[in-house]
Amino acid sequence: MTKSDSPRQGDRLGLGDPMRPFGDSTTGWLLSQAMHGMHAVDAQGRHAYRQAVAALRERSGELLATLKQIEDRLSPDSYLVEWSLHYILADLEDPALIPTLVATAVRKVAERNRDMQACERPEDSQVLVQIMAVEALERLVKREKQQAIRALLEVVEAQPHLAVRQPAVQTLLQADPTLAEKLRELLPEGQRFILDLKRVPVEYLNAPIHPAEFRPCPARPGAAPRLKEHRTSPHICTNPWKEG
Amino acid sequence: MASCTYTVPDLGSSGDNLYGPRICDQAFIDWAWDAHDFDQGDWDEGFGYEAVCDMTQPLGRTLAGIWCLNYSAEDYWNEDYSLDILHWGCRYVRENIDELDARCGDGIAFAKTQTAVIGDAWTQLYLPFFYLNGVSLRAGTLVHESRHAGGKGHDHGNNDSSWEYNGAWRWQVAWLAWFVFAGQRTSDALKTVARQRANAIINTNFTTHPGFTI
């Protein structure tokens, strides 16, 4: 990302060549196919995603080397691609990936400049990659419980950032509630409250709005246009013989 | 005028390959353009005005966030404020964000909103908003900025002091959470990242931790 200056008038954006991080190997190609299919919502697309994941499981031996090659080709702020790769790795549920997942989860998070006026920043995206790595470890608890627990404890010990540490703690407590005391020792006093956090139902998560805050804009259009219906059968029966 | 360059990540990684065909609809584009007060001068010169359906460019990616914001409730046409924020978040965004502009930015901030108290009212979206956020998180950022546009800033630096403050971070968490639990017409992956982002906000953007996760 580069910039020259930032006055009020419209800016000019040029796009660089698209990233091609997956290389020419079969494993790289399968990872790219999985990434293209991971947002599918139709049965065919979801099936293609599952097929790519199944094929990747068969190539476990090449996966780590391919991931390293991809990582080397990515720019430092390729958080979307990195997050997607870790989402796919979670679906693989391969214990051989544990060291890779731990390495991601314990990366140092960039220090937040509190003087800067910016609500959301790139480090928020970086943290999501690390949380995805923790959730991939969570998926492994049911397959390799002791190994996964050791890995998650390593994350709790080495990663001070609360947004990454908290889901690791939550997973550990679910996997083995007797770990509470050990976790209490690992956590600094100011973060021990996360041992008591509970998931709340969505109904609790309201955003109160007072009628005084309603600001109707009559000059603007209202709700979004209705979606076109996708019909798979005739709308009305035009066959008089069937209508009797 | 600032100039900037960017290398676009794989469209499969952000969900733009799912939402791209959806936004590429003249009726939706015309509606969204008027409803959010886009102006050509703020979205041309490489930001997408000339190629709205090109999901490598900022305008298409912003429209994807707007589509997600407006069509994720099952009964999306019901925007009554008595319902949950998944229903009316899109309406609040339309009614409070004065105009939506694209800019290069400083490479750090995702977005910024200025209210009319200072001068012109606008919400500017920057490169990290377009290229570091997946589609569902763009929708969440728009809800966040609309809360600022409605006059509610942060009360403790860039943090909200508490959940009870009812600020932009709470609204963003609430929208993301409802998207996770009740969102329609989207992928499991976009829900997963929305849940993670909501929890990350809960863990880092309230000075007094709200005391729960989603």
Side-chain angles (χ1 to χ4, degrees):
Chain A
M1 201 183 295
T2 60
K3 92 177 182 64
S4 54
D5 56 79
S6 54
R8 173 78 179 87
Q9 282 302 307
D11 295 344
R12 177 177 293 139
L13 171 64
L15 297 181
D17 291 334
M19 266 191 278
R20 307 225 181 274
F22 295 102
D24 298 325
S25 72
T26 305
T27 307
W29 180 80
L30 285 168
L31 282 166
S32 75
Q33 291 305 296
M35 193 174 291
H36 287 152
M38 63 188 272
H39 293 291
V41 292
D42 61 305
Q44 193 179 356
R46 292 170 72 88
H47 178 67
Y49 174 73
R50 284 195 298 272
Q51 275 191 315
V53 168
L56 282 165
R57 282 198 192 103
E58 300 297 315
R59 307 185 75 83
S60 176
E62 295 168 25
L63 191 57
L64 290 176
T66 306
L67 287 170
K68 178 75 178 73
Q69 288 165 1
I70 292 171
E71 190 184 324
D72 290 344
R73 292 187 195 109
L74 289 173
S75 59
D77 64 350
S78 299
Y79 303 123
L80 273 172
V81 174
E82 272 203 282
W83 185 89
S84 302
L85 283 171
H86 283 81
Y87 182 88
I88 295 163
L89 297 187
D91 277 344
L92 293 179
E93 297 184 359
D94 182 352
L97 292 168
I98 286 177
T100 303
L101 297 171
V102 171
T104 300
V106 302
R107 276 183 209 157
K108 185 173 165 50
V109 180
E111 195 71 33
R112 205 170 177 88
N113 180 351
R114 297 195 181 278
D115 297 332
M116 189 171 265
Q117 289 288 315
C119 305
E120 293 184 279
R121 312 169 192 206
E123 56 260 35
D124 297 323
S125 305
Q126 179 195 343
V127 160
L128 292 176
V129 178
Q130 298 176 268
I131 294 171
M132 192 63 245
V134 169
E135 293 194 8
L137 289 169
E138 178 182 358
R139 296 275 291 274
L140 284 163
V141 169
K142 64 175 186 261
R143 293 199 55 179
E144 286 291 342
K145 187 170 179 178
Q146 292 313 315
Q147 213 181 331
I149 283 178
R150 275 198 301 277
L152 285 159
L153 283 168
E154 198 180 328
V155 173
V156 172
E157 199 164 359
Q159 177 53 269
H161 198 287
L162 195 61
V164 186
R165 200 176 235 174
Q166 183 274 323
V169 166
Q170 197 160 9
T171 301
L172 284 164
L173 288 174
Q174 280 166 1
D176 183 357
T178 65
L179 286 169
E181 267 318 299
K182 184 175 179 61
L183 288 167
R184 189 174 299 279
E185 287 167 18
L186 285 176
L187 292 171
E189 195 174 340
Q191 289 188 355
R192 287 180 186 155
F193 70 90
I194 64 177
L195 292 165
D196 302 314
L197 296 180
K198 295 280 183 285
R199 288 199 176 100
V200 293
V202 71
E203 291 75 16
Y204 185 83
L205 299 165
N206 61 349
I209 179 167
H210 191 273
E213 295 180 281
F214 300 167
R215 290 184 181 176
C217 298
R220 290 194 188 181
R226 289 288 186 117
L227 294 171
K228 296 174 186 80
E229 288 183 64
H230 295 288
R231 291 191 178 281
T232 54
S233 57
H235 189 187
I236 49 170
C237 183
T238 53
N239 184 342
W241 302 107
K242 283 190 179 173
E243 285 180 335
Chain B
M1 177 189 282
S3 295
C4 47
T5 58
Y6 205 83
T7 300
V8 182
D10 190 300
L11 294 184
S13 66
S14 57
D16 285 297
N17 59 348
L18 170 63
Y19 285 83
R22 295 168 169 180
I23 68 115
C24 196
D25 173 83
Q26 195 63 53
F28 172 75
I29 292 167
D30 292 345
W31 168 82
W33 190 261
D34 288 340
H36 302 87
D37 198 13
F38 287 85
D39 293 314
Q40 179 181 346
D42 294 310
W43 290 90
D44 56 8
E45 300 284 354
F47 283 91
Y49 179 81
E50 299 86 355
V52 181
C53 297
D54 181 348
M55 301 308 284
T56 65
Q57 299 194 27
L59 181 54
R61 298 168 84 91
T62 303
L63 290 175
I66 288 174
W67 200 102
C68 180
L69 184 61
N70 282 272
Y71 289 113
S72 289
E74 173 71 53
D75 52 340
Y76 59 87
W77 54 88
N78 187 353
E79 300 183 331
D80 198 286
Y81 279 123
S82 65
L83 300 171
D84 58 77
I85 193 171
L86 187 67
H87 284 87
W88 57 257
C90 50
R91 175 178 169 190
Y92 191 87
V93 166
R94 292 198 308 272
E95 292 181 350
N96 285 273
I97 287 183
D98 193 272
E99 64 173 73
L100 212 44
D101 305 335
R103 293 290 186 273
C104 292
D106 59 6
I108 303 291
F110 281 41
K112 187 177 179 184
T113 293
Q114 178 173 289
T115 56
V117 177
I118 307 169
D120 270 357
W122 42 254
T123 293
Q124 293 184 343
L125 304 173
Y126 305 126
L127 294 187
F129 170 86
F130 308 123
Y131 297 116
L132 296 187
N133 260 344
V135 174
S136 55
L137 301 195
R138 282 175 226 151
T141 298
L142 291 172
V143 171
H144 180 115
E145 292 304 316
S146 73
R147 189 63 173 145
H148 292 326
K152 192 92 168 176
H154 297 303
D155 64 340
H156 196 243
N158 291 314
N159 277 5
D160 288 343
S161 56
S162 66
W163 182 257
E164 290 70 30
Y165 174 67
N166 196 25
W169 289 121
R170 174 172 177 165
W171 282 34
Q172 188 171 1
V173 167
W175 189 88
L176 291 168
W178 277 96
F179 175 77
V180 172
F181 287 100
Q184 302 289 312
R185 308 172 190 90
T186 195
S187 67
D188 290 343
L190 285 172
K191 286 190 173 188
T192 298
V193 75
R195 173 177 49 73
Q196 292 170 348
R197 180 73 184 118
N199 280 328
I201 292 170
I202 287 171
N203 281 323
T204 53
N205 293 113
F206 294 92
T207 306
T208 301
H209 194 286
F212 56 79
T213 64
I214 71 158

